[in-house]
Every structure is written in structure tokens, then in C-alpha cells.
Amino acid sequence: MKFTTRRRAAIPAALIALTALTACGQPVPGVGAPDGDKVVITLSAKTWNAGLASLAVSERRGYFADENLNVSFVLLDGATIQAQQVATDNATVGAITPEPVIFGDQPSKRLGLRYFSSFYRKNIYGLRVPANSPIKSLADLRGKRIGAASLGSAAVTNVKVALRDAGIPEKAVNFVAIGTGAQQATALKNRDVDAVALFDTQFQIMENSGIRLRRIAMPKIDELAGGGLAATSANLRKDPALFARIGRAVAKGVVFAQANPKAAIDDLYAAHPDARNPALPPQKARANDTKVLQTRMYTLGVQPGERQWGILKADELQRNIDYMTRAGLITEKVAVNSVFTSELTGQINDFDAAAIQAEAKRAAS
């Protein structure tokens, strides 16, 4: 299936403006079957990291090749830009968090994106404090400083809505931009902030640096869906078998990584050497990244009590629509069935998961 670049007049101006201001990542040479169907997948990341290791597994173990796919990955700084690239057919699929997909489905926007598989089944964002902090609940945050990677982060919006739901004025707390990487740990160690609103793997990286954290519950927010693999509705209708194959190749990597995260990290390093932290001894870097991947598998892996990967449920996505309405992020009605389809779940899981798990157990760890 050939994807061509075209422009949709209905794409929100904010998306186009943001894309113009941000350098889009360039796809690397494809992996998988050299003569397979060309597929471009966008990821919201600046660099390859442990949270993406399951995709490296699909590269290294030939799962993309098995599905006759030639896959190029594009790393982009944010879900909004991912949505724009998928909507204009510059990318085939995006692993996208819900906000831009739901925003773009408002009748006046008509971005036309639809999930065909979950990716982050649960909300990856959260709120945590040092383990010995006196802060026990949202109510204890009055007058406190909350650090986030940037003030425009979805993590900040999550906390603001959680505070509002709890009857706490947004102005009762101060949000502070603390950057990424080591800057986040430094801000907490130096007590520049009292709490941090980040996503799952960032919390684990801080734990790896020696900072013990404790979760602060955010009712309703913690129950949000985390996002999924999205494509345009038109392309899903045109070639559903292609997207089932993409989802199946991704699912195999997830099943492997869940069964043997250490081997998945080895695949990540082999496929993307820059993912390993050169400042640490190799075994320490591997141990740290394994913990990061295990944290990500909590939201990415096959969920407890379920046998299939990539399950999508209307009630889970409806919570995100309701959340965005309360947050003022959307002002028009969005029908949950227009932003997702579960029709491909069975085809995506049409492989021998036990054989993948056995392969993972045989891999060196």
C-alpha cells in the first residue's frame, strides 16, 4: 500500500503552526523485509530508550520481516506533531496519546484519526513525591511546588484537572518546569520542588538515581487510557489487513519483552547503540534500563486477566473524552466509537504467543 503526502484543509491550524516551529524527525532506513510494504511509524521520543525496547525486539527478532513490512521509525517531540504527520499521510501509524486524536475528532476539526490497537493501555502520567514527604494526598499540595518537564506537558493538565475535581483551586499550587533527564532528579534532591508530575519511565529513571518515590493518587485521572496505535480512518478502511500485520509485529515484540525484559534491552542496544548510557558501566546501564522497561510493561504489556494484547474498550476511552471535556480541551461532542475500532484485535493476536514467550526464555539474560 502506497502512502502519499497530501494536505487536509480541516487540519487544525494549531497543529500546522506547531509543526512549522518544530523540526520533524527523519525516518531511518527501513528495517524488516527489504521489499516489504513500506510503513512509517512515529514515536513520541527524542531518542531511542528503554521504554521503546519492545519495538527494537520486533526489529531484531524479525517480527516486522515476518509480516512482510519494511518499517521506518520517526522520532518526534510530542503527540500533536505525530497526529499531524499521520493525518497528512507522512506517516502510516503513530503510537499516540489520546489528546490529539480526540481533539482532532471534533466536528469542526475532522482530523480523521482512529485507534486500531491500544499501546499504552493505562495512563502513563502520574504524580509522585519523595518517599519521606509529608504530602499524602492532593489536599496536601496547597502552597507546594510541582515540577514537570515543561508547563505544557500533559502531566500538568492531568494534575490541574485532578485538583479541580478535588475542589482545590489550581492557583493553590505552583508548577515549575524542571526539564528532562538529570535535571528532574536534581530539582527534587535540591528541594526546588515538592512533587513531580512526569510519566512512568521518568519516575523509574529517578528511582535508578537513588530517589525513592511515593505515588499520590489522582482519582479519575489514574483511570484514563494511555493511547494506542492510530491511523487515518480512510486508510484503515482501505487496507485493514496491513494494519493488522503492523499491530501483530508490534504485539510479538511486546510479548517477548514482557517475558524477558533483559534480553529486550540487549536487542535495544544492538539495534540502537545510542540508547545505552555511556556514562555507566555496561552492566549497570543494562540493569537500570531493564527496570525502566519493566515499569513501561505495566502499561504496555498484556494486562492481568487478559490473554490478548492491544485491547481497546469504549468505556476506557470514554473516560478520556470526559476528562478532556472537564479540562476544557474540547468543546464539541466526540463519539467514542469514532476514535477507535476493536475490529482488528483478533487478527493482531493471531500468532503463537507461547512460542514467542519460549523464544524469549531461550534468549540470553
Side-chain angles (χ1 to χ4, degrees):
M1 181 176 181
K2 183 178 181 182
F3 287 85
T4 57
T5 302
R6 55 187 171 82
R7 182 171 179 175
R8 298 183 182 187
I11 293 174
L15 290 180
I16 297 173
L18 185 54
T19 303
L21 293 172
T22 307
C24 292
Q26 297 298 317
V28 297
V31 297
D35 299 320
D37 292 321
K38 295 188 182 300
V39 169
V40 177
I41 299 177
T42 71
L43 305 171
S44 182
K46 293 184 178 180
T47 60
W48 279 88
N49 58 73
L52 303 174
S54 66
L55 295 168
V57 170
S58 294
E59 291 184 52
R60 293 280 297 171
R61 302 282 163 174
Y63 301 151
F64 289 123
D66 290 345
E67 298 294 341
N68 195 35
L69 300 172
N70 185 274
V71 177
S72 298
F73 290 101
V74 182
L75 306 187
L76 297 172
D77 192 10
T80 299
I81 302 173
Q82 286 183 278
Q84 192 272 339
Q85 293 299 303
V86 175
T88 55
D89 283 345
N90 287 319
T92 320
V93 170
I96 308 176
T97 50
E99 291 83 4
V101 174
I102 294 171
F103 175 87
D105 198 64
Q106 294 178 99
S108 65
K109 313 302 178 187
R110 299 193 182 280
L111 200 58
L113 300 185
R114 200 175 194 195
Y115 290 120
F116 62 93
S117 169
S118 68
F119 193 67
Y120 310 123
R121 179 68 181 281
K122 301 176 182 178
N123 189 5
I124 63 173
Y125 295 101
L127 178 65
R128 300 194 184 181
V129 297
N132 60 358
S133 170
I135 298 171
K136 305 295 183 182
S137 68
L138 291 170
D140 297 328
L141 288 169
R142 293 176 183 271
K144 304 299 184 182
R145 294 160 297 183
I146 302 175
S150 73
L151 298 185
S153 168
V156 172
T157 305
N158 279 358
V159 176
K160 287 181 177 179
V161 175
L163 290 170
R164 189 185 311 163
D165 288 345
I168 302 169
E170 181 182 311
K171 294 181 179 179
V173 302
N174 297 309
F175 290 93
V176 180
I178 57 174
T180 59
Q183 294 172 299
Q184 296 174 346
T186 298
L188 208 53
K189 286 178 179 177
N190 292 346
R191 298 185 180 180
D192 295 327
V193 295
D194 304 291
V196 284
L198 303 169
F199 56 78
D200 55 354
T201 56
Q202 290 177 318
F203 290 133
Q204 184 57 54
I205 289 170
M206 294 183 76
E207 294 263 7
N208 287 347
S209 72
I211 300 175
R212 292 182 59 240
L213 299 172
R214 177 165 41 80
R215 174 178 167 271
I216 298 297
M218 293 190 289
K220 296 183 181 179
I221 303 302
D222 292 333
E223 299 172 358
L224 297 176
L229 301 180
T232 66
S233 296
N235 287 332
L236 284 167
R237 288 193 299 270
K238 191 182 305 180
D239 194 352
L242 171 67
F243 294 96
R245 287 157 50 207
I246 294 169
R248 192 157 52 238
V250 172
K252 291 176 183 178
V254 171
V255 170
F256 182 103
Q258 195 166 16
N260 191 340
K262 290 182 180 179
I265 292 299
D266 290 339
D267 282 353
L268 172 68
Y269 292 166
H272 304 279
D274 291 346
R276 184 176 71 80
N277 184 352
L280 295 176
Q283 289 306 312
K284 178 63 174 175
R286 183 176 184 247
N288 282 356
D289 281 340
T290 298
K291 292 178 182 177
V292 171
L293 177 56
Q294 289 172 319
T295 296
R296 175 52 54 83
M297 297 313 295
Y298 174 72
T299 61
L300 179 60
V302 178
Q303 298 298 301
E306 296 178 351
R307 300 175 64 89
Q308 294 183 315
W309 182 80
I311 291 172
L312 287 163
K313 294 184 178 180
D315 61 332
E316 293 176 353
L317 280 170
Q318 184 63 53
R319 294 183 197 128
N320 291 75
I321 294 172
D322 295 342
Y323 153 76
M324 290 184 66
T325 301
R326 296 202 313 278
L329 298 175
I330 58 173
T331 57
E332 302 170 60
K333 184 177 178 58
V334 172
V336 66
N337 289 327
S338 71
V339 293
F340 92 104
T341 176
S342 59
E343 294 176 358
L344 299 182
T345 303
Q347 295 177 57
I348 287 172
N349 286 274
D350 186 17
F351 65 93
D352 190 342
I356 298 292
Q357 292 166 337
E359 178 186 359
K361 291 176 181 178
R362 290 193 300 269
S365 60

